Amino acid sequence: ETGVTQSPTHLIKTRGQQVTLRCSSQSGHNTVSWYQQALGQGPQFIFQYYREEENGRGNFPPRFSGLQFPNYSSELNVNALELDDSALYLCASSWGGNTEAFFGQGTRLTVV
Amino acid sequence: QKEVEQNSGPLSVPEGAIASLNCTYSDRVSQSFFWYRQYSGKSPELIMSIYSNGDKEDGRFTAQLNKASQYVSLLIRDSQPSDSATYLCAHEGNAGNMLTFGGGTRLMVKP
């Protein structure tokens, strides 16, 4: 167990809807990164939050947005869901400049 | 060319053998490299990190890094059926602390 928790574990949404995924970082970690993992592929970086500010973003459209709260927990919001958004969404926490990142159990999102 | 290349496998080894997993990367600036293990339906689990050229050993695992050749590998000694999983190679990318992953190599250890 990494101490990183995500909710919900599974979610089914309809195309066009909006979804919010949540992540609680490991104690002592101030950085949260979000990744999307399609079936059979490696995780793809969405964005990172450090001390409540976005600290880097991957090649994802603006309908993917996020927040980090003072307790370093984080949310990932996806608007206007598309079928291709179906994936495992992973949250990873780390401490500042230490890039060893530890993943939560993930949220499996299915868009129908 | 993908930033991080891994053979997708499956790599099949008998129980007790050495499994050798390889990874090449294109970003010469990368300083930090990681191996994650991912069981089917689960999230990635960090098993090794390596930052300087040479070998780093941790139990049955040895990570090897050659920055001149842009190559990193993972050796698993005395492979066990429980080692059967997908192994993901990753390095620190160029956008802060983001990780860039390869597609993973599926390892099968046969009893």
Side-chain angles (χ1 to χ4, degrees):
Chain A
E1 294 294 326
T2 63
V4 182
T5 58
Q6 293 185 242
S7 63
T9 55
H10 295 84
L11 201 53
I12 299 175
K13 287 287 190 178
T14 303
R15 189 172 50 183
Q17 285 188 315
Q18 177 265 343
V19 68
T20 297
L21 310 181
R22 295 178 174 82
C23 171
S24 294
S25 60
Q26 184 171 317
S27 178
H29 285 181
N30 56 13
T31 303
V32 171
S33 304
W34 287 92
Y35 292 82
Q36 180 195 68
Q37 187 176 25
L39 202 60
Q41 298 182 23
Q44 298 291 313
F45 175 73
I46 302 174
F47 43 58
Q48 181 184 86
Y49 280 85
Y50 170 66
R51 292 185 172 181
E52 303 178 59
E53 298 285 332
E54 188 178 287
N55 182 42
R57 187 180 182 92
N59 189 25
F60 280 81
R63 60 188 184 85
F64 286 77
S65 63
L67 282 173
Q68 187 179 33
F69 300 99
N71 67 354
Y72 303 129
S73 65
S74 178
E75 288 182 352
L76 164 66
N77 299 290
V78 187
N79 294 322
L81 284 166
E82 301 177 359
L83 297 179
D84 285 349
D85 295 333
S86 296
L88 179 66
Y89 287 85
L90 297 161
C91 165
S93 80
S94 58
W95 180 79
N98 182 347
T99 57
E100 286 195 351
F102 299 91
F103 285 90
Q105 79 275 29
T107 295
R108 173 74 62 185
L109 173 65
T110 302
V111 182
V112 298
Chain B
Q1 182 189 6
K2 291 183 180 179
E3 290 190 53
V4 181
E5 296 265 13
Q6 293 183 259
N7 188 319
S8 61
L11 172 66
S12 183
V13 301
E15 183 175 356
I18 296 175
S20 178
L21 305 161
N22 304 313
C23 172
T24 58
Y25 61 93
S26 59
D27 185 355
R28 291 188 172 274
V29 178
S30 295
Q31 296 294 317
S32 307
F33 300 86
F34 307 91
W35 283 98
Y36 285 83
R37 177 177 63 199
Q38 187 172 27
Y39 293 113
S40 180
K42 302 295 185 182
S43 63
E45 173 192 7
L46 179 65
I47 54 173
M48 289 288 283
S49 58
I50 186 166
Y51 304 100
S52 52
N53 281 327
D55 295 0
K56 179 182 178 182
E57 186 174 320
D58 184 0
R60 294 187 297 114
F61 299 99
T62 299
Q64 299 174 318
L65 174 61
N66 184 326
K67 291 184 181 180
S69 300
Q70 296 175 251
Y71 175 90
V72 59
S73 65
L74 179 70
L75 301 178
I76 306 175
R77 290 181 299 281
D78 188 23
S79 295
Q80 301 297 309
S82 59
D83 294 326
S84 298
T86 295
Y87 289 80
L88 297 162
C89 170
H91 72 78
E92 180 188 1
N94 56 11
N97 293 335
M98 65 168 279
L99 295 174
T100 300
F101 284 87
T105 298
R106 185 177 163 212
L107 174 66
M108 297 174 60
V109 181
K110 298 192 173 181

